[in-house]
Amino acid sequence: MHKISLNFRLKVLFLFLITLFIANSFAGNINVTVGKRNIAVGDSFKITFSTFKTGKFKPNIMAALKDFVIQYRGSLNSKSKFSSTLVKVKRQWFYVVQAKKPGQFVIPSVAFGQYKSPEIMIRVSKARVVAPNRVASNNSKSKHLRIHASIKPGSYYAKQEMLLTVKVYVSRDIDGGLRGISSPKFLQGNAIVKRLHNPSGYQEKIDNIPYTVYERRYVIYPQKAGPLKLKAFSAVVNVRTANSSSDPFNDPFFRDFFGSNQPQFRITRPTWNRAQLRSKEIQLDIKSIPKNASPRNWLPARDVKVIESWLSKSGTIRVGDSIDRTISVSVVGQIAELIPALGLNPVKGLKQYQGNAIFEHRSNPRGIVGTRTEKYALIATKVGEFRLPEIKVNWWNTTTNSFETAIVPERKIKVIASLTGNTSLSSTDSMSSKSFVPRGISSPGSNTLPSANPFWIWFSGFIFILWLLTLAGWWTISRSRKADLVSVDARKKSLKIQKQSSLVREIQRNCKQNHAKQCRANLIAWGQFHWGDNKVANLSDLKSMINRSSFTTKVEELEAVLYAQESDINLWQGEDFWSVFSELSKLDRVHEHNQESSLASMNPR
């Protein structure tokens, strides 16, 4: 057997002492580690706080990371075994953050009970962008990076759905993940934009080169005829440009300790950079709607279905009873807010009450299916058989380029007398027309008079005197309250004017602050104040009630911003909208002799 040399024993003892020292140092400190060395603006990296100390710690780490965007946070407890008898629990708090701006940032010391973490400094450089020869476009000859933005070929009318597809191709050999794709922006014209939910990344092989394809799909609804120009799309991806290798044991200490013949270890790390890609601009010419089409009821779509449903399956109801009617218009290739209202006229003999319209959307990779649901309550007012006329929804088939009509057949409703015998809600003669003979009164053919009961005579006299006293008291009180009623009417009138002015001021404030969503809500409330909840449920109803071209144009611009991406809502400028709306509000006066607003005359019916 070989004897173990003294030099080898000393080396083993030295390594054991170093292990104990490291274990004890870890057990007594709060350690902070940063998971990345070279940090640029927009990079995400991990910061970990760890300790072997025990106790109930509630560190305020988020305040220390105020200079970074916190994307994810979590905690972890794990056991570490240093020897057969020494086992300690390691507690970790980790945060994935993103650098917002370049510079030097100090993460201050964080208190963990009686312990504190050390301060650390992080240097953030400017965003790294690859050389111009790494920027690809539609006509780029690069085989590793491509971007392509396209709209499904065809000619499009105003408010017709267009499918926009943006694809970023990254060779799998250099793919490091997508950082972002810009949203659609318009250089000319305006449109409503909705993003479709579709798989973002998938594999595709082109010319025997495997690519990772990052795809975005949108549907666009141009609001006016004329040129429509989309800004070029840009995308940023992480790409591997080179590999670097290093030997962690290539250090003088390890060479002297283990000798010069120790094995070499090579660790290979990829070097990542950002590649910025830019597509071509997209320009289209949107056609005007056909001459024989109504702009108010213009509905371009791939398919339209109108479904009618009733709460009661029976076609017979009684006078005074109500029946609920629901009509849903489902349109393939149109958002629900652009589906025109049905505008059903009431039928004589049936009172009709309309509820607020309900808008629903369903999206798929091919587009959007919008549904507008209108509910009506019908109340029978007289006996008879009533015919509900057929419902026609005219629409433009974008597949065949022709007009079509979706029809709900007419329906007949039979109204019979109520259980009490009423044949009309307004009739009071139906009760007296029946023969009703109370007990104690002879039949009409008898000549004998009934005998009177003294109790009922005295009771009737008492009731009559009580009624006279009540009438006198009411007359006295009414005279004293007459002046009060006049003041109450004046107060109600004043409150109505105040509410009206308050809504106008809110709309003005929303326009000055460019708050598109709040402005939409206040506009609908303003319209409901004038015409009622049943007639104004959305901005489309408000345009129909006012029926002024200048106001309609500004509302359509507001709708285009509201249905665009969330980041584009702040682009709305409310000053132009207020200049048009303020002219309308000047016409809105509460007249002393007219209870209706003068704005009602804007849309004569």
Side-chain angles (χ1 to χ4, degrees), residues 308-421:
E308 179 188 41
S309 61
W310 297 81
L311 187 61
S312 175
K313 296 182 179 180
S314 174
T316 302
I317 59 175
R318 296 182 180 275
V319 172
D321 290 348
S322 65
I323 185 171
D324 293 335
R325 184 188 194 189
T326 302
I327 302 174
S328 298
V329 182
S330 182
V331 181
V332 179
Q334 195 62 261
I335 58 177
E337 286 79 3
L338 294 182
I339 300 175
L342 295 174
L344 302 183
N345 295 321
V347 177
K348 189 175 181 180
L350 297 174
K351 287 186 177 180
Q352 178 175 282
Y353 298 93
Q354 182 180 354
N356 294 332
I358 300 174
F359 304 103
E360 295 177 337
H361 300 97
R362 298 193 315 272
S363 63
N364 55 59
R366 294 186 56 198
I368 284 181
V369 179
T371 303
R372 179 188 179 108
T373 302
E374 296 184 3
K375 294 186 177 182
Y376 300 86
L378 303 178
I379 300 178
T381 59
K382 62 180 180 179
V383 172
E385 188 175 67
F386 302 95
R387 183 181 64 87
L388 300 179
E390 65 178 6
I391 301 173
K392 293 184 178 181
V393 177
N394 298 317
W395 60 285
W396 177 264
N397 191 323
T398 58
T399 303
T400 61
N401 286 326
S402 60
F403 280 106
E404 294 189 15
T405 303
I407 299 176
V408 175
E410 69 174 30
R411 183 185 180 94
K412 293 182 179 180
I413 295 179
K414 185 178 181 180
V415 180
I416 60 177
S418 64
L419 294 176
T420 59

Side-chain angles (χ1 to χ4, degrees), residues 22-31 49-55 57 78-82 86-93 115:
I22 294 174
N24 289 332
S25 63
F26 280 157
N29 296 330
I30 305 294
N31 296 303
F49 296 78
S50 60
T51 183
F52 285 93
K53 285 294 183 180
T54 59
F57 300 139
S78 60
K79 291 183 179 181
S80 298
K81 185 176 182 180
F82 295 100
L86 181 59
V87 178
K88 289 187 176 291
V89 177
K90 186 178 183 180
R91 305 175 65 182
Q92 293 180 314
W93 295 262
Y115 309 101

Side-chain angles (χ1 to χ4, degrees), residues 5-284:
S5 63
L6 179 62
N7 188 24
F8 180 81
R9 292 178 179 179
L10 291 175
K11 290 181 179 180
V12 172
L13 179 61
F14 179 73
L15 289 175
F16 179 74
L17 292 175
I18 289 178
T19 303
L20 289 179
F21 174 77
I22 294 174
N24 289 332
S25 63
F26 280 157
N29 296 330
I30 305 294
N31 296 303
V32 184
T33 57
V34 180
K36 195 174 184 180
R37 291 184 179 180
N38 300 322
I39 303 173
V41 174
D43 288 354
S44 297
F45 58 96
K46 186 177 179 181
I47 300 178
T48 305
F49 296 78
S50 60
T51 183
F52 285 93
K53 285 294 183 180
T54 59
K56 295 183 179 180
F57 300 139
K58 293 183 179 180
N60 189 11
I61 300 177
M62 295 186 66
L65 303 177
K66 64 181 186 308
D67 296 321
F68 303 92
V69 178
I70 298 176
Q71 297 177 326
Y72 180 76
R73 59 176 179 170
S75 59
L76 179 67
N77 294 335
S78 60
K79 291 183 179 181
S80 298
K81 185 176 182 180
F82 295 100
S83 65
S84 59
T85 58
L86 181 59
V87 178
K88 289 187 176 291
V89 177
K90 186 178 183 180
R91 305 175 65 182
Q92 293 180 314
W93 295 262
F94 53 89
Y95 291 77
V96 178
V97 299
Q98 185 182 44
K100 295 188 294 186
K101 55 185 179 180
Q104 293 185 355
F105 303 95
V106 176
I107 298 180
S109 177
V110 179
F112 291 75
Q114 58 181 339
Y115 309 101
K116 289 187 177 181
S117 66
E119 292 185 353
I120 61 172
M121 179 178 291
I122 297 178
R123 292 182 175 87
V124 179
S125 61
K126 294 182 179 179
R128 292 187 294 269
V129 181
V130 297
N133 59 353
R134 301 292 295 181
V135 179
S137 62
N138 280 345
N139 54 4
S140 174
K141 297 181 180 180
S142 172
K143 294 183 178 180
H144 299 287
L145 295 172
R146 301 180 181 181
I147 184 172
H148 183 70
S150 63
I151 290 179
K152 188 176 180 180
S155 58
Y156 296 93
Y157 291 93
K159 296 185 179 181
Q160 180 179 345
E161 181 184 77
M162 301 187 300
L163 180 62
L164 168 66
T165 305
V166 183
K167 293 184 178 181
V168 178
Y169 300 85
V170 185
S171 174
R172 292 176 59 183
D173 297 334
I174 63 172
D175 180 28
L178 177 71
R179 299 195 65 89
I181 301 176
S182 63
S183 58
K185 292 181 175 59
F186 298 95
L187 299 175
Q188 190 174 6
N190 59 7
I192 297 174
V193 179
K194 288 274 189 180
R195 179 178 171 181
L196 301 177
H197 298 285
N198 61 297
S200 175
Y202 55 90
Q203 305 300 321
E204 186 175 330
K205 184 176 285 189
I206 303 176
D207 296 335
N208 293 325
I209 299 177
Y211 288 94
T212 300
V213 183
Y214 300 99
E215 181 178 301
R216 298 284 189 273
R217 287 190 178 186
Y218 306 87
V219 285
I220 299 177
Y221 302 90
Q223 294 301 291
K224 291 182 179 180
L228 183 69
K229 189 175 183 180
L230 278 83
K231 186 178 179 181
F233 288 87
S234 61
V236 179
V237 295
N238 289 332
V239 294
R240 183 172 57 242
T241 57
N243 292 331
S244 62
S245 61
S246 61
D247 183 4
F249 297 101
N250 187 19
D251 186 87
F253 171 78
F254 289 100
R255 287 201 304 269
D256 296 340
F257 186 79
F258 292 102
S260 59
N261 294 325
Q262 80 275 11
Q264 293 185 352
F265 299 91
R266 308 298 296 179
I267 298 178
T268 302
R269 297 186 181 92
T271 300
W272 299 97
N273 278 325
R274 293 184 188 177
Q276 183 175 355
L277 297 84
R278 185 174 296 276
S279 71
K280 289 183 179 180
E281 296 178 349
I282 299 177
Q283 187 165 359
L284 299 170

Side-chain angles (χ1 to χ4, degrees), residues 472-540:
W474 173 82
W475 182 76
T476 304
I477 295 174
S478 62
R479 293 194 60 183
S480 63
R481 289 186 176 180
K482 189 174 182 179
D484 295 339
L485 291 176
V486 175
S487 62
V488 168
D489 292 339
R491 193 180 302 112
K492 289 182 179 179
K493 194 173 184 179
S494 176
L495 290 174
K496 184 176 181 180
I497 296 175
Q498 290 178 6
K499 182 179 179 180
Q500 176 182 333
S501 302
S502 176
L503 288 172
V504 173
R505 286 195 301 269
E506 284 295 319
I507 295 174
Q508 182 182 14
R509 184 172 62 86
N510 299 148
C511 292
K512 288 184 177 180
Q513 297 178 357
N514 299 326
H515 289 167
K517 289 184 177 180
Q518 294 88 330
C519 184
R520 175 185 178 276
N522 288 320
L523 278 173
I524 294 175
W526 178 78
Q528 292 174 346
F529 174 78
H530 288 290
W531 294 286
D533 297 347
N534 295 332
K535 292 186 178 181
V536 179
N538 49 55
L539 293 180
S540 298

